[in-house]
Amino acid sequence: MNMHASMGAAIAADCPVNSHNEWDPLEEIIVGRLEGSTIPSDHPVVTCNIPGMAARAQSLAAGFRFPKFMIEPAQQELDGFVALLESLGVTVTRPDAVNHKAKFSTPHWSSRGFCNSCPRDSMLVFGDEILETPMAWPCRYFETHSYRPILKDYFKRGARWTSAPKPQLTDELFDPDFTLPEKGEPLRYILTEFEPVFDAADFFRCGRDIFVTRSNVTNAMGIDWLRRHLGEGYRIHEIKSRCPNPMHIDTTILPLGPGRLLINPEYIDPDELPDILKKWDILVAPEPDPINDRILAITSMCGKWLSMNILMIDEKRVIVDPHHTNMMRQMEKWGYEPIPCSFLHYAAFGGAFHCATLDVRRRGTLESYF
């Protein structure tokens, strides 16, 4: 091992934050909470990304607490997920419980909160750095405050802690004439280039190469900000998605390990992938198993491809919802060991296993896989 590699390994051993990709052996993870969850505010940047029935329900109930019939089954699943992670030897940390119904304001607007169910959206990890992202939903403006005790602890123990410029989120950021593109129309986005905004969940990491989809919560200026912040040690590549209302990359495309890429056939054209990804094995996600429960269909904030929102424990083991039998079987065929964990009710709060977590420590070092 050369001097630089040995120094990097020594820093990784001492620092609580050390994660470079989506598949190295998982050692520590942040898992979200549901306490105090509030239905997100009725803002165009929110409603344009929520599926039809859920969007109508959301606009009527914006600012109210999520009802118990939604919270209780999701909480039961979340508790089971945490217990599973701990049984696998993973250290689990949790944000503070927060009253998200409390109203807050800036000089330009006011809002209530949402929830801290999905740490994947609000923070990015690059090696020993944990970065708070400038999210575009006003109701999520102060969401990372619930993680501050964790962030301060990581900082005291050697991690680098960064925050992107806090966005103003004034009307200039949002296109007032935006409508979702019809089938066959070119993609368009509700965001302008007024200021940099991005959600962490629009990115995935493969060592020195970072991949991103532009979306209704991530604009080109946000991607440019992160590219300049990371500097010459990293390369950021944009991936074209055919999703008509794009928000977050982890139901569109996700790496499972070096040289293997899981794609959503509805949203990704393999011929349009960045050239360096075309050399990898392309694994096409199977058709998601239908969810026939009407309540789940109405309350889900996510599309049907949430079956792809899996969590790699290491290069072989992967957590999958057992409802998605097609995905479970396909993972086995591809040589993985799927670990079942029920999680369907969590979709009402923004996602599944990948969304609900932030892997802050994986056993590995910074590498180039291309």
Side-chain angles (χ1 to χ4, degrees), residues 18 28 36 51-52 74 84 86 92 98 106 152 181 191 197 241 272 278 304 339 353 363:
N18 180 65
E28 182 163 344
L84 172 61
E86 291 176 336
V92 176
V98 172
T106 76
K152 286 183 277 191
L191 299 176
V197 289
S241 170
E272 293 193 348
K278 291 177 182 177
K304 69 176 186 178
I339 302 171
F353 306 113
R363 191 168 63 252

Side-chain angles (χ1 to χ4, degrees), residues 65-76:
R65 292 278 177 90
F66 278 93
K68 280 187 177 180
F69 78 85
M70 293 172 66
I71 290 269
E72 288 176 353
Q75 184 64 56
Q76 187 174 356

Side-chain angles (χ1 to χ4, degrees), residues 160-327:
R160 291 183 296 143
W161 173 21
T162 310
S163 182
K166 203 72 174 168
Q168 294 170 272
L169 303 187
T170 53
D171 290 345
E172 292 91 336
L173 179 62
F174 309 104
D175 179 357
D177 301 319
F178 173 79
T179 56
L180 287 175
E182 298 291 336
K183 191 170 184 178
E185 289 185 340
L187 282 182
R188 53 181 174 263
Y189 309 96
I190 194 170
L191 299 176
T192 69
E193 298 300 324
F194 174 68
E195 60 185 344
V197 289
F198 58 92
D199 273 18
D202 273 323
F203 297 79
F204 67 72
R205 304 155 306 140
C206 297
R208 293 192 181 277
D209 290 274
I210 313 298
F211 297 87
V212 60
T213 49
R214 194 172 159 200
S215 76
N216 285 322
V217 290
T218 295
N219 62 8
M221 200 172 178
I223 297 169
D224 285 344
W225 184 92
L226 186 61
R227 181 178 283 116
R228 293 182 207 176
H229 172 74
L230 291 176
E232 295 180 358
Y234 290 87
R235 298 171 291 265
I236 294 184
H237 314 266
E238 190 167 341
I239 290 175
K240 292 181 181 178
S241 170
R242 296 183 294 206
C243 178
N245 55 335
M247 179 180 172
H248 301 165
I249 201 168
D250 46 11
T251 56
T252 296
I253 184 168
L254 206 61
L256 304 183
R260 306 195 90 185
L261 199 62
L262 179 67
I263 69 162
N264 176 333
E266 192 175 319
Y267 296 162
I268 292 292
D269 179 353
D271 292 334
E272 293 193 348
L273 286 172
D275 287 342
I276 60 171
L277 285 179
K278 291 177 182 177
K279 299 172 185 176
W280 281 28
D281 292 337
I282 306 299
L283 308 178
V284 179
E287 182 68 20
D289 292 81
I291 297 173
N292 297 318
D293 185 304
R294 183 164 173 77
I295 296 297
L296 287 176
I298 292 173
T299 59
S300 174
M301 291 181 68
C302 311
K304 69 176 186 178
W305 291 98
L306 202 59
S307 57
M308 285 182 60
N309 202 257
I310 57 180
L311 180 68
M312 302 302 295
I313 299 300
D314 50 37
E315 286 190 43
K316 281 292 180 186
R317 295 178 296 168
V318 55
I319 297 180
V320 183
D321 194 303
H323 172 83
H324 296 295
T325 54
N326 289 340
M327 182 63 80

Side-chain angles (χ1 to χ4, degrees), residues 12-25:
D14 294 335
C15 183
V17 177
N18 180 65
S19 182
H20 303 283
N21 56 48
E22 311 289 333
W23 59 78
D24 278 342

Side-chain angles (χ1 to χ4, degrees), residues 16-17 28 30 93 150-159 360:
V17 177
E28 182 163 344
I30 299 174
T93 55
I150 299 171
L151 297 177
K152 286 183 277 191
D153 174 62
Y154 288 158
F155 178 72
K156 290 172 183 175
R157 292 161 57 199
V360 294

